[in-house]
Amino acid sequence: MSEIIATYHIKKQGDSQTLANKIAIGLTVGSWTDLTLEDQAHLKKYKGSVVEAVEIGENEHRIKIAYPEHNVTKDFSSILTTVFGKLSLDGKVKLLDLELHQDYVKHFKGPAFGIGGIRDVLKVYERPLVMSIFKGIIGRDVAFFKSQLYEQALSVDIIKDDEILYDVPELPFETRIQEGKKILEQVKEETGRNVLYAVNLSGPVFSLKEKAITAQKLGANALLFNVHAYGLDALKGLRELDLGIPILAHPALSGALCGSDDYGLDYGLLLSKLTRLAGADLILFPAPYGSVPLSTEDANRIVQYALEEQPYKKSLPVPSAGIHPGLVAQLIDDFGKDIVINAGGGVHGHPRGTVAGGRAFLEAIEVYYGRSGGQAYEEAVKLWGTS
Ligand code: 1AE
């Protein structure tokens, strides 16, 4: 019988084993000793069991529970409701990890492209990729959108919508895709480079599949998705459409779900392990030294889960938030070559504007690999420094 093993950190008065037994029984068969022998025999295979119950401090416990896999269905909502539904409301309990059996995991597709697929589209293999973000786009018109997209596309590999830009009358989703496609074709003609533009897939949850299909028909070549505002199963559903378009998972809202030491889920678990399984090709997360820093441990775990060997493809980790060219060396040192370096203000805030801002990141990568940089990088370092 395969099992889902959940690891918790719990701050609560009481003995670890008693707390663990209560969870194992309470979140599965409900009671055990009160059952008749006949019911026990029938319900044995549905009963959770304690794998570990350790007191790690005063009123502080690490508890691992194994849940029978057939108690849940093949979706995140059932897993999370079983292992952390009511329990998440029961005081200081943090879900640190979930171990899923390979027989179960095969019901989840994981990323469609993965690292290799994204690199094949862009034809960039030997360096980290560079992504930039639309900035100051709210309230703007199509002419502004086209001009900012064109400027970004001249130097970076991927451009993402601002995650707070939805399907608004000034800049409708369909217009952004159609006009964006033309700009990217123009850039391809002028520079020979392939560039991805991730349009923000937004709106009522039950319209998402239809909108994703429309996006594909209109020629979108990437989707941005605020997965944690919608839930992991929404991402899983989009991935299962097999549209042949990479999906970028934005971390918006995840601070509320993962930010506390005592409550919620581990950042690595939610943003990376589960989001990769759900089908994200790119996983955005706040870098440890940016404007909304995560801890180094959280960031490392996110990257580790995105890149570890699994029967499904790897996701590209995307350290973000407050990133500028002076941080490129640190990012590559810390997370390696298979990352996407992502910046908004660090591109558009360059003293000579957006095109030079994107170029400064590429020059910073050149400098990292021992080749000569250039004026744009030097200007960026003068402005932002190297830490
Ligand atoms: C953690 C996601 C980062 C993001 O979406 C964003 O907009 C960053 O902007 P900058 O680079 O901090 O200006």
Side-chain angles (χ1 to χ4, degrees):
M1 176 179 74
S2 52
E3 293 167 316
I4 293 171
I5 299 178
T7 305
Y8 306 94
H9 175 252
I10 301 182
K11 285 186 179 167
K12 201 172 224 185
Q13 276 191 341
D15 149 69
S16 305
Q17 190 66 43
T18 309
L19 290 171
N21 281 336
K22 200 174 152 210
I23 296 169
I25 302 298
L27 295 185
T28 57
V29 291
S31 67
W32 191 246
T33 45
D34 296 341
L35 297 177
T36 63
L37 289 179
E38 196 185 359
D39 272 350
Q40 283 191 358
H42 169 65
L43 292 175
K44 194 162 178 256
K45 69 174 187 166
Y46 301 95
K47 176 177 162 290
S49 57
V50 177
V51 176
E52 184 178 278
V54 189
E55 187 149 353
I56 53 172
E58 201 185 334
N59 298 324
E60 203 172 334
H61 319 266
R62 190 181 58 250
I63 284 173
K64 269 191 189 202
I65 305 292
Y67 298 90
E69 216 169 82
H70 47 244
N71 283 15
V72 301
T73 44
K74 274 82 181 158
D75 47 70
F76 294 99
S77 48
S78 69
I79 305 169
L80 290 174
T81 304
T82 285
V83 308
F84 205 39
K86 225 159 67 177
L87 185 59
S88 72
L89 300 158
D90 194 10
K92 292 184 175 173
V93 185
K94 180 140 184 164
L95 178 62
L96 298 180
D97 196 16
L98 280 175
E99 294 163 56
L100 303 168
H101 195 275
Q102 295 305 343
D103 287 345
Y104 182 72
V105 158
K106 68 180 181 222
H107 298 284
F108 297 74
K109 289 189 157 202
F113 285 70
I115 296 177
I118 297 287
R119 286 194 178 281
D120 283 346
V121 171
L122 296 170
K123 308 221 179 312
V124 176
Y125 298 96
E126 298 304 330
R127 60 164 173 83
L129 300 170
V130 177
M131 174 154 91
S132 73
I133 310 161
F134 275 95
K135 285 285 157 180
I137 189 77
I138 305 297
R140 303 298 192 146
D141 61 10
V142 178
F144 182 95
F145 165 83
K146 283 165 61 179
S147 143
Q148 204 178 84
L149 180 62
Y150 178 68
E151 289 191 338
Q152 293 173 94
L154 283 178
S155 43
V156 304
D157 304 300
I158 308 170
I159 297 134
K160 81 169 219 4
D161 262 345
D162 195 331
E163 71 281 0
I164 54 170
L165 177 67
Y166 313 110
D167 191 358
V168 289
E170 301 82 358
L171 278 170
F173 180 68
E174 298 188 0
T175 308
R176 285 181 353 245
I177 295 168
Q178 287 166 320
E179 295 303 322
K181 184 171 186 281
K182 287 186 215 158
I183 298 282
L184 299 190
E185 281 166 359
Q186 185 187 339
V187 168
K188 171 82 180 172
E189 258 177 46
E190 290 173 5
T191 68
R193 293 170 45 252
N194 292 334
V195 178
L196 293 172
Y197 159 50
V199 63
N200 190 17
L201 179 65
S202 67
V205 67
F206 290 112
S207 73
L208 290 174
K209 279 193 172 182
E210 203 182 305
K211 285 186 83 169
I213 292 166
T214 302
Q216 183 220 33
K217 286 190 182 143
L218 294 177
N221 67 3
L223 297 173
L224 175 72
F225 191 52
N226 287 320
V227 51
H228 307 294
Y230 284 103
L232 291 163
D233 281 321
L235 173 58
K236 181 173 183 278
L238 293 170
R239 165 64 183 97
E240 284 167 354
L241 292 173
D242 275 324
L243 292 176
I245 309 176
I247 304 175
L248 284 67
H250 197 277
L253 198 69
S254 64
L257 304 169
C258 307
S260 161
D261 286 342
D262 293 334
Y263 300 94
L265 290 82
D266 174 72
Y267 267 118
L269 173 64
L270 181 65
L271 262 59
S272 192
K273 194 184 229 189
L274 299 181
T275 301
R276 175 180 168 193
L277 190 60
D281 294 285
L282 275 73
I283 292 176
L284 282 74
F285 68 97
Y289 21 75
S291 54
V292 285
L294 284 196
S295 72
T296 305
E297 298 74 43
D298 285 331
N300 286 343
R301 224 168 15 256
I302 288 169
V303 175
Q304 180 208 319
Y305 285 141
L307 300 180
E308 72 184 4
E309 286 305 326
Q310 289 292 351
Y312 44 91
K313 291 178 181 154
K314 296 176 183 179
S315 305
L316 268 164
V318 188
S320 306
I323 301 302
H324 57 75
L327 291 171
V328 163
Q330 170 124 43
L331 287 165
I332 305 175
D333 278 346
D334 288 352
F335 304 125
K337 173 177 74 94
D338 281 327
I339 55 171
V340 180
I341 298 171
N342 177 32
V347 169
H348 305 292
H350 190 280
R352 278 188 299 116
T354 300
V355 184
R359 193 164 297 136
F361 277 92
L362 294 170
E363 289 179 4
I365 293 171
E366 291 299 300
V367 170
Y368 181 84
Y369 288 113
R371 297 182 284 267
S372 60
Q375 191 194 343
Y377 172 63
E378 281 164 24
E379 288 163 338
V381 168
K382 206 165 154 196
L383 179 64
W384 285 300
T386 52
S387 58

